[in-house]
Amino acid sequence: MRLLVLGGSWFVGRAVVAAALRAGWEVTTFNRGQSGPGLAGVRAIHGDRTRAGDVADLAAAGPWDAVVDTSGYVPANVLEVAAALSAAADRYVFVSTVSVYRDWPARPLSERSEVLDCPQDAGPSYGTDTEDGATRYGYLKSGCEAAVSAVFGEDRTTLLRPGVILGPREYVGRLPWWLRRVAAGGEVLAPGSPDRTIQPIDVRDVATFALCAVTDHLPGAYNVCAPIGGATFAGLLHACVAATGVTPSFTWVPHGALLDQGVRQWSELPLWRTFDGVWQVDAAKAQQAGLTCRSLAATVADTWHWLRQSGGSTHGIDRTVEIGLSPEKEARVLAAWHGSGERCG
């Protein structure tokens, strides 16, 4: 198989490249060459996807059996790139997000759920962030999906809609923050209920399914998440204990008490969000098509190993400053909870 990866040096793109190389595929990457070194064994073409000349030169370097786009965020640009590559690739696999759904994270979802409306040629300012969960990011990714489908057609387009992706080289910093917090020991603020189910997916499992979409010519949209109910928040934290070898004391504080103390969902306590649908994304279609998911414990252990070996280096691609509760605020929230005399049941 001949594969073109748009991106290829970051989190998801790098995992796709690594999986394709292990499978013996011929891999070409296209990126600006500014996000760290690529993997050995690939044909690296450097250019900017927003420059028509660079994209035209890329198309002339084909053909490929498929392109996997891990770096498309603006519909108008994705439309231009897809058009340029339409004669150079047989299939276009676009890495999207569950944020394209109008009801995420408020309600449970499947691929039949309504998506946000965004024109296929929209610019970067289209859409707005709203309190009910819809984001500009979700609007734009929906428009990107429409752009790819308009150029390649339904039969030659695969849309992957992951939820939260974890694993080695994660630059958002959700799992690294929890691992480091557990490793620091002491009393750890744990959000909500220990049996709250979660369904993050390992980046390597997303990558493997992207290759499956290529080899099996999978058309349409697929939610790419771990099974509903397969893991819990307590399981995540206990996996952090097992990985780090540190056993802190966990204090579980209910949603309401955290909200009363002004704790920001999703960011200050990563992966904590109170909406009913956030961890209710039906991925049965992808599972029936070949998606397999390793245990959350394996993802946690491998991420800790990466952190220990590399120090968590992401070559400057780092959003961890947006993630995590400060020690001072954690202490205040815990003190308020203990002072309330209540207990999480």
Side-chain angles (χ1 to χ4, degrees):
M1 284 285 183
R2 297 161 300 176
L3 183 70
L4 168 64
V5 179
L6 303 183
S9 60
W10 290 21
F11 186 43
V12 177
R14 188 181 180 92
V16 172
V17 170
L21 290 174
R22 286 194 299 270
W25 292 15
E26 296 178 16
V27 182
T28 302
T29 58
F30 178 73
N31 54 58
R32 294 176 298 172
Q34 299 177 0
S35 304
L39 292 170
V42 306
R43 177 175 61 157
I45 299 176
H46 290 156
D48 190 327
R49 64 179 294 152
T50 65
R51 295 177 180 170
D54 290 357
V55 176
D57 290 342
L58 171 66
W64 298 277
D65 295 296
V67 52
V68 176
D69 188 350
T70 67
S71 63
Y73 296 97
V74 178
N77 173 253
V78 170
L79 186 66
E80 293 170 353
V81 170
L85 296 176
S86 61
D90 294 335
R91 172 164 296 278
Y92 203 114
V93 180
F94 182 74
V95 180
S96 187
T97 170
V98 294
S99 295
V100 300
Y101 290 113
R102 185 171 297 280
D103 287 336
W104 191 84
R107 297 179 179 85
L109 301 169
S110 73
E111 289 85 357
R112 296 182 299 277
S113 300
E114 183 183 3
V115 299
L116 296 167
D117 185 27
C118 178
Q120 64 192 37
D121 59 350
S125 63
Y126 189 91
T128 57
D129 294 332
T130 62
E131 292 185 1
D132 63 1
T135 61
R136 174 169 290 169
Y137 171 68
Y139 277 102
L140 293 176
K141 279 288 195 176
S142 181
C144 292
E145 290 188 359
V148 175
S149 298
V151 174
F152 273 75
E154 298 295 333
D155 290 341
R156 298 170 60 208
T157 297
T158 307
L159 306 173
L160 304 184
R161 295 171 178 166
V164 171
I165 305 175
L166 303 179
R169 297 182 177 275
E170 182 208 336
Y171 58 87
V172 176
R174 295 181 175 110
L175 180 52
W177 186 85
W178 276 115
L179 280 162
R180 290 177 175 128
R181 178 61 194 92
V182 169
E187 184 182 13
V188 174
L189 172 59
S193 170
D195 59 3
R196 168 79 160 171
T197 61
I198 58 176
Q199 56 177 149
I201 189 168
D202 191 290
V203 64
R204 294 161 293 183
D205 297 331
V206 176
T208 299
F209 187 65
L211 301 193
C212 180
V214 173
T215 56
D216 294 349
H217 308 287
L218 300 179
Y222 295 83
N223 294 333
V224 187
C225 304
I228 295 173
T232 64
F233 222 112
L236 168 70
L237 296 186
H238 289 308
C240 291
V241 169
T244 62
V246 177
T247 305
S249 62
F250 294 111
T251 298
W252 292 90
V253 179
H255 297 322
L258 294 175
L259 296 174
D260 287 345
Q261 290 296 315
V263 178
R264 295 194 307 274
Q265 299 184 51
W266 214 235
S267 57
E268 286 193 306
L269 287 176
L271 307 180
W272 169 63
R273 206 165 185 180
T274 60
F275 290 102
D276 290 338
V278 65
W279 300 118
Q280 294 291 318
V281 180
D282 184 0
K285 180 181 176 183
Q287 292 156 16
Q288 292 166 4
L291 173 66
T292 59
C293 298
R294 70 198 68 203
S295 70
L296 182 56
T299 300
V300 172
D302 290 348
T303 302
W304 180 244
H305 177 75
W306 164 69
L307 285 171
R308 297 272 289 180
Q309 292 294 313
S310 69
S313 173
T314 53
H315 299 286
I317 308 162
D318 193 348
R319 288 174 50 196
T320 58
V321 293
E322 306 169 13
I323 295 295
L325 195 64
S326 70
E328 296 78 14
K329 187 168 183 178
E330 181 183 28
R332 290 199 303 271
V333 174
L334 286 169
W337 172 243
H338 291 308
S340 71
E342 299 182 57
R343 291 293 179 268
C344 182

